[in-house]
Amino acid sequence: MITDQATNNEAVPHCLEAVDVTVWRGETLLLDRIKLHAKAGEVTQIAGANGSGKTTLLRVLCGAALADEGEVHWCGVSLSKQRDIFNEQLLHIGHRPGVHAQLTAVENLQLACKMGNGVESDIDSVLNALAILPIADIPAGHLSAGQQRRVALARLALLPHTRCWVLDEPLTALDQQGRDWVAGQIQMHSERGGVTVLTTHQPLSKNLSGPIYSLDAPIHG
Amino acid sequence: MDSLPLSTGLLALFRSLLTRELAVAIRSPGQWLNPILFFIIVITLFPLGVGPGPNTLSIIAPGIIWVSALLSVMLSLQSLFYDDLHNGSLEQFVLSAQPLSVVVLAKVFAWWILGGLPLLLVSPLLAILMHLPASAIPVLVLSLLLGTLTLILVGAIGAALTATVGNGGGILMSLLVLPLTVPVLIFGSGAVQAAALQMPAGGHLSLLVALLALALSLAPVATAAALRVAVSAS
């Protein structure tokens, strides 16, 4: 199969590409023929004001939402043709963090490991690195926003085999120590040859470089 | 991890999803106490409203018990996917490489343990309250076992289709799903009626088994497809 060759051949660097992605929100044109090329080892940032469509673009890039026109390619093959292969490589931390309020941090992460073939025995050490081990047995709904965000972000360290990270505002609600931890994880991921696409309003670490795409440019060019 | 046969991996996934659902439910008891209380309250009101005459009650008992079971299952089901859609878990499930229908099956089965099994357990007591002949009680429990599983499987399709609808989703879901549940009601109460009249109930029960097999094979796939739409629209 062509798709297997494209994604399993380590000689071919991974890349995530948006080809003329267009999304309408009712009568308004939200994303107009967006072209984006996120390469392996680079951190691709998407900038833009609130409401400019950053989250929508990320959801389209990871396949959670469909574009009205255009396609997203992973390693040169359309996502729609290799859904399962791409999902194995994908780590998406969305606008909604995917942390269940009634479950503890450990329970949330155990399931995340089961769903994504992560290493469950690492959960304690990752929670320790994130400074949330002491509260790991409290239902996540009782934790602060920053602590909940840390539970969601622990997946970055638990699923290191994933090749494509799509992160929506990963630094929101985090303190300096948390931001440094996330930047460190992203840097390690880039060095492993992973693709990262993210949005953020905070400055990222200086060690992370890559193209910045702005959605604020005139839409009807 | 990849050396495991596929079925073992899916079974382990099913088990951990089931544990997750049960852990969530234990921490929010209102979710599973409501259906069983509704079931008990509705049935105990009938002898008070209709009068305690054993003749009338035993005639209407199969229908009353079955209609109450159907409504109690349907009214509680609309929240099946609500939490997971709004906290982003469902998005994670959709974007994982694991089959979404396994997630659906685990949720449905957990819901049956919490919202269906208790109905079976109290139904013999309520049957005695309604003066249903003792010989019909095993058939009642068996028909509820087959029927509630089918109802929850079918209801899950409706819950997934209306997951993104805010208030009023319950009514919309009932409109969508109730026509599909009518056969279960007819054969379920038919089986109990036949047993109460000392007639063989095997025919009705076989049809309930057939409906369950149909729902078990088709509903998880349909629900998974509806959930993908819900996630992309949310």
Side-chain angles (χ1 to χ4, degrees), chain B residues 3-134:
Chain B
S3 58
L4 287 173
L6 183 68
S7 55
T8 320
L10 285 184
L11 207 61
L13 178 71
F14 180 82
R15 211 178 300 125
S16 51
L17 280 163
L18 191 64
T19 323
R20 168 192 189 261
E21 292 303 317
L22 294 177
V24 168
I26 284 165
R27 287 163 212 179
S28 44
Q31 232 188 355
W32 52 273
L33 274 175
N34 278 347
I36 179 68
L37 287 176
F38 176 89
F39 184 64
I40 295 172
I41 290 169
V42 169
I43 293 178
T44 46
L45 283 179
F46 266 89
L48 301 174
V50 181
N55 291 335
T56 331
L57 279 182
S58 65
I59 291 171
I60 58 170
I64 298 299
I65 296 177
W66 254 97
V67 169
S68 312
L70 181 124
L71 288 178
S72 103
V73 167
M74 281 301 134
L75 292 179
S76 60
L77 259 183
Q78 66 177 97
S79 60
L80 188 61
F81 299 109
Y82 184 87
D83 274 356
D84 281 340
L85 182 70
H86 288 268
N87 66 29
S89 306
L90 207 54
E91 194 171 79
Q92 293 295 329
F93 294 150
V94 167
L95 292 179
S96 86
Q98 311 290 352
L100 194 55
S101 39
V102 173
V103 177
V104 171
L105 263 182
K107 283 191 86 78
V108 162
F109 194 60
W111 195 252
W112 179 78
I113 291 176
L114 297 159
L117 192 58
L119 304 190
L120 305 193
L121 297 179
V122 297
S123 64
L125 278 178
L126 295 169
I128 293 168
L129 183 83
M130 296 292 288
H131 293 286
L132 195 72

Side-chain angles (χ1 to χ4, degrees), chain A residues 59 92 98 102 107 155, chain B residues 20 27 87 91-92 231-232:
Chain A
R59 283 169 53 81
H92 171 58
Q102 304 277 4
E107 288 166 336
R155 290 204 300 262
Chain B
R20 168 192 189 261
R27 287 163 212 179
N87 66 29
E91 194 171 79
Q92 293 295 329
V231 164
S232 71

Side-chain angles (χ1 to χ4, degrees), chain A residues 170-212:
Chain A
L171 305 181
T172 305
L174 291 183
D175 57 21
Q176 187 60 49
Q177 188 261 344
R179 289 202 291 272
D180 290 344
W181 186 87
V182 172
Q185 292 298 322
I186 295 176
Q187 195 181 346
M188 272 154 52
H189 174 67
S190 294
E191 283 162 8
R192 288 192 296 258
V195 175
T196 309
V197 183
L198 55 80
T199 62
T200 179
H201 290 291
Q202 279 104 339
L204 269 174
S205 152
K206 288 189 186 65
N207 303 331
L208 304 174
S209 62
I212 299 180

